[in-house]
Amino acid sequence: METNVLEVHNLRTSFYTDDGEVKAVDGVSFTLPKGKTLGIVGESGSGKSITALSILQLLASNGKIIDGEIRFKGENLIGYSDRKMRDIRGNAISMIFQEPMTSLNPVFTIGQQISESLIKHQKLSKRDALLKSVDLLKLVGIPSPEARVRNYPYELSGGMRQRVMIAMALACDPEILIADEPTTALDVTIQAQILQLIKELQHRLGMSVVFITHDLGVVAETCDYVAVMYAGQVVEYSDVFTIFKEPKHPYTIGLLNSLPRHDMEQDKLEPIRGNVPNVRDMPIGCRFSPRCPAATDLCRAELPELSKDDKGNDVRCWIYSDNWDGEMEVNVYGEKRIAQGRGVKAVFSD
Amino acid sequence: MAKKELLKVEGLKQYFPIKGGLLGRTVNHVKAVDDITFTIHEGETVSIVGESGCGKSTTGRAILRLEEPTEGKVSFNDVDLTSLSLRQMRKHRKDLQIIFQDPYASINPRQTVSDILNEAMTIQNSVPPKKRRKRIIELLETVGLNEYQADRYPHEFSGGQRQRIGIARALAVNPKLIICDEAVSALDVSIQAQVLNLLEELQEEYNLTYLFISHDLGVVRHISDRVIVMYLGKIVEIGEKEEIFEKPKHPYTKALLSAIPVPDPTHKKTHIALKGDVPSPIDPPAGCRFHTRCPFAQDKCKQEEPLLKTHRIMDETHQAACHFVEEIENGELLPRDYEIKPILN
């Protein structure tokens, strides 16, 4: 039986600035089954990184989780004391960041940096921690790890640094690894090495992975489940095949239509018109409604809930709800579809 | 139909000195671009692709002489740009414009959009002063901005809109060739698609020629007619877009293409996993520069530099710099010590 190692329900995280409240995350729900990989995709400013930081409660001092649940193996992490969170961070749940250059401390050797969490969480001696660091470097495929533990970050290439970050994250055998754009700063041939490494380690160690990325190719290649985020909210959540073959939300469809492909010829790209809304001035109804080709008065007036469709996938769109009354022809990116209450078939053509 | 050659780059080299020692003498060079030759025809889009440090941006800058090339010749419309004085060069820059990657850093934050466009026209005197305001509004409309935005400052625009300002600035002087240096790389896909479509429309309307520098092969496939693949300062393969993407011949091109994740979860593909990192351009490997990572490398590859040429089995417009194109293609030469891995799922 599949159990969910992580369940996030209706998460809301706000930042309080001089100019008022910024609702960076405003309705995020997803589940991560044990041993699987969940991709969180979205464009810049969609709140995907803040979602990750909220899970680990690593928010800046003006940020606060104001609502929702984050259940890790059934226990709600919200309300945990700092001390209890510290036992989880880097231990049961660990994270790797986008910039391997800035996430490592330049004045400590990589051995010292990997040892830190081993000494803290696993109470190893300095010596044993360093020995385990060598093993970890070997695990992530760094050649001559005995010599490399004494290196400083500047002595390593970008790909090597990201491997070190992964070694640090794996030090305490985490149950969940959160990877925030781990390959975005890397060249594709190095990206391929790192993605492969994460996959292999996941299989070997039985970890569950949350993969945050803007790259739909990376999602298709690495993830089992996908949460698509737009303007602080999850707009669609389902398995990876459904997202790519039968996307439901007009934003997901638009995203796939805008993507230039290297593996096939396309005539013209179909961009999403307009721009991402300003976080301080969100549309009243559906946040995608100003850009949505199918938007109606209902969409502009009321925000739809994230609700299950007939296959058990989540979508936040009026078209798929009972409130969508009557019949209406909807033009979703060049494809005509007949929309009626719960009846619309939004099949994304190849 | 033979198209007119617009830009011709011959034997271009760009070495950057490394100063060292007590006296600050030049101790070595970074060979960023090392002897490359190619031509671009009028109305064509040619892309240069490659990973960071391969010399693709340096090539673009050297063509415009934003960095003085170390050696080689760049001819534009049969005029040798490298032999011109800087004053003469400025005149020619009217025909060659560049759009940079970072729309936040490449426009002056203290100038309004109208000032930015006006400056370009003033320097090149491309539009008489009285007609400039009208032209500015025209340009803004061309790139999808509005007249009322002319007197705004860059910070009031989003990333995609700023890139449109960069495009308007390039268009302000009626150029023939525009070098797009990672011009859409910083943009989100939905916005990137808007800007790519705009670039294509402008090309049709003004018969523009593009040199498109990018690391994103999806973008390159979409926009290019021909593609140049660079590795460590050298061209390793050049050809029509379909040839490069469907029938790549150089082992590096093949590895590069196989490394890009495909946005289709049902796609079963195999990686040609390249080992290790790109070597340093300060002291590039002898012979073929790719031999340290190439799964097919032979002794000959370590000693003799391969020429960029059309091999027997290739289309006449297609060239690759590899000694063993034919042997690899007909299976006589098998890859050593590398993995073709199915993706784990």
Side-chain angles (χ1 to χ4, degrees), chain B residues 249-312:
Chain B
K249 289 292 180 288
H250 196 285
Y252 176 65
T253 313
K254 290 182 189 176
L256 189 65
L257 286 171
S258 82
I260 309 164
V262 177
D264 177 358
T266 56
H267 179 87
K268 291 277 172 259
K269 73 166 189 178
T270 46
H271 266 318
I272 303 172
L274 283 185
K275 294 212 165 123
D277 289 321
V278 182
S280 160
I282 296 170
D283 195 13
C288 173
R289 294 194 175 182
F290 186 55
H291 85 248
T292 54
R293 299 173 83 196
C294 181
F296 297 96
Q298 304 293 309
D299 282 341
K300 187 181 181 187
C301 306
K302 294 174 191 162
Q303 290 140 17
E304 205 179 307
E305 196 184 314
L307 294 175
L308 186 65
K309 65 170 191 179
T310 302
H311 295 259
R312 251 191 310 144

Side-chain angles (χ1 to χ4, degrees), chain B residues 110-137:
Chain B
R110 298 190 173 217
Q111 285 186 321
T112 62
V113 173
S114 143
D115 292 338
I116 290 167
L117 301 180
N118 204 3
E119 189 177 26
M121 291 187 254
T122 312
I123 291 170
Q124 292 296 349
N125 207 6
S126 59
V127 180
K130 279 191 180 155
K131 291 190 177 158
R132 279 182 198 156
R133 181 75 196 179
K134 190 166 159 268
R135 176 75 177 133
I136 287 169
I137 290 157

Side-chain angles (χ1 to χ4, degrees), chain A residues 129-139 145-146 149:
Chain A
L130 203 63
L131 285 173
K132 174 116 198 251
S133 303
V134 174
D135 288 344
L136 285 162
L137 290 179
K138 205 180 283 165
L139 182 73
E146 296 82 2
V149 282

Side-chain angles (χ1 to χ4, degrees), chain A residues 23-40:
Chain A
K23 296 176 175 173
V25 170
D26 195 16
V28 165
S29 305
F30 56 75
T31 50
L32 171 61
K34 191 171 164 33
K36 299 290 183 189
T37 302
L38 166 78
I40 301 181

